[in-house]
Amino acid sequence: MILSLCAWEFLRQFEKQKTIELDGLIQIFREHWRDESWHEVLRLMAGRLDAKFTGNILEYLIDENGQAENFSNLFLATECVSEVKNRNDIAAIASKLRDRVKELTKYENSSASTPQEYDNLVYEIRRQAVAAVAATWKDDPETSPWLKQVAQSDDDGTVRRAAFQELARGWKDDLETLPILKQLAQSEDNWAVRRAAFQELARGWKDDPETLPWLKQLAQSEDNGNVRSSAVQEIARGWKDDPETLPILKQLAQSDDDGEVRRAAVQELAQGWKDDPETLPILKQLAQSDDDGEVRYAAVQELAWGWKDDPETLPILKQLAQSDHSWIVRQAAVQELARGWKDDSETLPWLKQRAQSDHSGILRRAAVEELARGWKDDPETLPWLKQRAQSDDDWDVRQAAVRELARGWKDDPETLPILKQRAQSDDDPDVRYAAVQELARGWKDDPETLPWLKRWAQSDDNWAVRRAAVQELARGWKNESGIFELLCDVAIHDPFDREDEWQGNPRQAALAAMIELYPDRPQTLELVRDRAQNDSDETLREFAQQKLAELERQ
């Protein structure tokens, strides 16, 4: 309601009082299109304006470079088009916009710092582009043929998937949609695309006589375990009353060659057939003897959640927590014991024993975390945490204890000294990293925090610790004297030398902070230019080149 009133006030000034000219309207969009909280206001304004003014606004949005904002300028423009009552009045500019959005289905990104970041960003922009075309131009006779073509022939599996998902949800009654989905579900080379296609079939065409038989075949004979496990889930959730569903699930849970399929069958059995007399025995057997740790993990969780009162569940969890050879099973068993049997007289002593003496660092870490969160008032918890933080021989345990101390016992007089000690002298960089973060966020006003952060940012021998210190300085001390100069120094002189793509360059963290916090200082632009040309790290050079282009356009 407030947003709508805001839009109406701008329109009143433009249309009635004539106090805002077209340039003023465009200025409003210029100032706010990057802020998603304003998109509804801007969209409503575009819908209320005369079409020729909306066309001018669309021209402006199309011409903006929105790569740094994941092209929200173009996606906002498509929302504005959807608000226009008479599309014919903006046909030319709308067509231009549609072509630009379609181009985003081929978007590439060279500035992502990790392969996962690249995949996530590129997929989301391409997916959003397909969805925007399908939603904004649903009634256009060209949209359905375009989606069909993309679904069947685009080079990128994520784009094909997005296209047929839009077809399945928006053009279900089109006679060609079902055949396309069937073809993709059966013959697509990309297993993720094939899986998504049969999921759409299972959910949208449940009554088609070919859907269930084909899913059963997939669940039992498809080569790819991801596809088979998804088929298991669709059958269990969509055809629970089919007489063959339960026998198929039991057979797959106990004897399928693929652990992922067994795990999916276990979860569906436990959640959908809890009252079947064979379900609990199957879960107990798999929790203790399946040769795949992920299957045992799933069975442990289902036992703890669904059969807490069974007399064998607690002994099974205790046994697995101590002796299972997979750390994920041991950790799950510890967590479930601590959360589900907190009032059991044996749980706390058992957790204390595990936290102190278990041979596995991962299990000690899990026990430490559960003790800190579930038994904060126990008089032995805090001393043990302090001991673990300072002297445990496993870095994972020390790191967990550091974080739990900082978050649960900030007011204890020994917490701050322990954090300082760990941040300065722990042999493991992951422990120092955790201590640096906790100090910066919880003890900003301590007189030693800022000078120590500066020292860590410039001299710690681990790149992750230096980068964390840089980010915390930028987050909490941007107005402090000397921070800008420190960031300049790090951006030029940090000794980082990339060994893996996933690593974070402290020089890039410092440069990014300068661009965000001090964009108007001449030294910032000068340094961005320098790093774009001269930095030894290709990832940083590409980042600086992108940011340089943005700064020079402003």
Side-chain angles (χ1 to χ4, degrees):
M1 182 63 180
I2 293 174
L3 291 173
S4 179
L5 290 173
C6 186
W8 276 111
E9 175 58 23
F10 284 128
L11 290 170
R12 184 177 65 81
Q13 294 179 42
F14 177 71
E15 295 177 338
K16 305 295 184 184
Q17 297 183 351
K18 306 299 183 184
T19 56
I20 298 181
E21 303 292 337
L22 175 61
D23 288 347
L25 281 174
I26 291 179
Q27 180 62 26
I28 293 168
F29 275 77
R30 179 179 291 112
E31 292 175 357
H32 298 295
W33 69 261
R34 293 175 176 84
D35 184 349
E36 288 192 8
S37 67
W38 269 79
H39 280 197
E40 184 179 353
V41 170
L42 301 177
R43 178 175 58 79
L44 289 171
M45 288 175 64
R48 304 292 196 278
L49 290 169
D50 185 275
K52 67 178 181 180
F53 295 118
T54 300
N56 291 125
I57 290 170
L58 293 174
E59 285 277 11
Y60 161 73
L61 288 172
I62 291 172
D63 289 341
E64 282 288 272
N65 186 325
Q67 181 169 349
E69 293 77 21
N70 298 337
F71 303 99
S72 64
N73 58 315
L74 297 180
F75 295 125
L76 171 61
T78 65
E79 295 175 13
C80 292
V81 168
S82 297
E83 293 293 322
V84 176
K85 294 179 176 61
N86 190 347
R87 296 272 189 96
N88 290 332
D89 293 339
I90 58 164
I93 187 63
S95 178
K96 178 181 177 182
L97 172 63
R98 180 183 58 193
D99 292 342
R100 286 290 308 278
V101 176
K102 284 182 177 179
E103 289 172 7
L104 292 180
T105 64
K106 304 295 184 185
Y107 172 68
E108 297 286 350
N109 178 272
S110 60
S111 63
S113 60
T114 68
Q116 182 178 4
E117 181 184 342
Y118 173 88
D119 290 342
N120 292 343
L121 176 62
V122 169
Y123 167 69
E124 180 54 28
I125 288 175
R126 291 178 178 180
R127 183 207 64 76
Q128 197 172 349
V130 172
V133 172
T136 307
W137 288 276
K138 187 174 190 296
D139 297 328
D140 190 300
E142 295 182 11
T143 300
S144 173
W146 177 76
L147 287 172
K148 292 172 184 176
Q149 177 195 358
V150 170
Q152 296 176 92
S153 60
D154 194 272
D155 293 337
D156 188 333
T158 60
V159 177
R160 295 198 300 278
R161 179 169 57 184
F164 71 66
Q165 286 173 333
E166 294 299 332
L167 279 172
R169 297 164 194 181
W171 285 265
K172 183 179 178 181
D173 296 330
D174 187 299
L175 295 178
E176 294 183 7
T177 298
L178 180 56
I180 288 173
L181 283 174
K182 287 182 176 179
Q183 175 208 350
L184 291 169
Q186 295 178 66
S187 60
E188 165 68 40
D189 291 336
N190 184 313
W191 68 263
V193 176
R194 199 161 71 251
R195 179 178 66 179
F198 76 66
Q199 286 173 333
E200 295 298 332
L201 283 171
R203 297 166 193 180
W205 284 267
K206 183 179 176 181
D207 296 330
D208 185 276
E210 294 183 0
T211 301
L212 179 56
W214 181 66
L215 282 173
K216 290 177 180 178
Q217 178 189 355
L218 278 179
Q220 298 175 88
S221 60
E222 159 70 29
D223 290 337
N224 186 284
N226 290 295
V227 173
R228 283 213 315 285
S229 61
S230 295
V232 166
Q233 291 170 338
E234 296 301 331
I235 293 170
R237 298 170 191 181
W239 288 270
K240 184 178 179 182
D241 296 330
D242 185 87
E244 293 184 0
T245 297
L246 181 55
I248 289 174
L249 288 177
K250 290 178 179 178
Q251 179 250 324
L252 294 176
Q254 297 176 90
S255 60
D256 195 273
D257 292 337
D258 190 284
E260 188 167 356
V261 177
R262 296 199 302 279
R263 182 179 63 180
V266 161
Q267 291 169 330
E268 297 303 328
L269 269 175
Q271 294 166 28
W273 286 267
K274 183 180 178 183
D275 296 331
D276 186 87
E278 293 184 7
T279 297
L280 179 56
I282 290 173
L283 286 177
K284 290 177 179 178
Q285 174 202 353
L286 295 175
Q288 298 174 89
S289 61
D290 194 277
D291 59 9
D292 188 295
E294 295 284 350
V295 178
R296 298 196 302 279
Y297 172 89
V300 162
Q301 286 190 321
E302 298 300 339
L303 277 173
W305 297 341
W307 287 269
K308 182 181 175 183
D309 295 330
D310 185 87
E312 292 185 1
T313 298
L314 181 56
I316 289 173
L317 291 180
K318 287 181 177 178
Q319 177 245 324
L320 292 174
Q322 297 176 76
S323 61
D324 195 279
H325 59 270
S326 168
W327 69 266
I328 63 169
V329 178
R330 295 196 304 275
Q331 179 173 286
V334 167
Q335 290 171 336
E336 297 304 333
L337 278 168
R339 298 169 192 180
W341 284 266
K342 185 178 178 182
D343 297 330
D344 186 281
S345 59
E346 294 184 2
T347 300
L348 180 55
W350 184 86
L351 273 177
K352 289 177 178 178
Q353 181 186 6
R354 299 276 71 74
Q356 286 185 301
S357 59
D358 197 276
H359 68 278
S360 166
I362 290 172
L363 189 60
R364 290 203 308 281
R365 175 187 178 124
V368 162
E369 289 173 338
E370 296 303 328
L371 282 169
R373 297 169 193 181
W375 287 269
K376 185 179 177 181
D377 297 330
D378 185 274
E380 293 186 0
T381 298
L382 180 56
W384 279 351
L385 275 179
K386 292 175 181 177
Q387 180 188 8
R388 294 304 102 200
Q390 297 176 90
S391 60
D392 198 279
D393 59 6
D394 189 284
W395 69 267
D396 209 15
V397 179
R398 296 198 305 278
Q399 183 192 56
V402 161
R403 292 205 185 275
E404 297 300 334
L405 276 174
R407 296 171 188 183
W409 287 269
K410 184 181 177 183
D411 296 330
D412 185 87
E414 293 185 9
T415 297
L416 180 56
I418 289 172
L419 290 180
K420 289 179 178 179
Q421 176 201 17
R422 292 300 93 199
Q424 292 182 91
S425 60
D426 199 279
D427 293 337
D428 191 277
D430 288 298
V431 180
R432 297 200 304 277
Y433 177 96
V436 165
Q437 281 189 330
E438 298 300 338
L439 279 170
R441 297 175 188 183
W443 286 267
K444 183 180 177 183
D445 296 329
D446 185 86
E448 291 187 339
T449 299
L450 177 56
W452 283 9
L453 279 174
K454 290 179 178 179
R455 186 161 63 249
W456 289 317
Q458 295 178 294
S459 61
D460 194 276
D461 61 9
N462 180 265
W463 63 265
V465 178
R466 297 195 305 275
R467 181 170 176 262
V470 165
Q471 291 172 327
E472 296 303 330
L473 284 168
R475 186 198 308 265
W477 287 269
K478 65 180 180 180
N479 297 320
E480 190 75 26
S481 173
I483 296 300
F484 177 78
E485 290 74 18
L486 181 145
L487 292 174
C488 287
D489 179 73
V490 173
I492 297 171
H493 297 121
D494 188 273
F496 175 82
D497 187 15
R498 184 174 298 281
E499 297 177 357
D500 291 295
E501 289 184 354
W502 58 268
Q503 291 178 323
N505 187 340
R507 296 195 300 276
Q508 183 167 332
L511 189 64
M514 292 173 64
I515 294 168
E516 179 183 355
L517 302 177
Y518 315 103
D520 298 327
R521 295 200 185 185
Q523 301 98 312
T524 297
L525 182 58
E526 180 182 341
L527 187 55
V528 174
R529 286 196 181 108
D530 175 73
R531 294 298 87 190
Q533 294 181 350
N534 301 320
D535 200 273
S536 60
D537 181 11
E538 180 181 0
T539 301
L540 175 49
R541 290 199 306 275
E542 291 175 351
F543 169 81
Q545 289 161 11
Q546 177 189 335
K547 294 301 179 182
L548 179 61
E550 294 170 13
L551 289 170
E552 290 179 336
R553 281 195 301 271
Q554 293 176 1

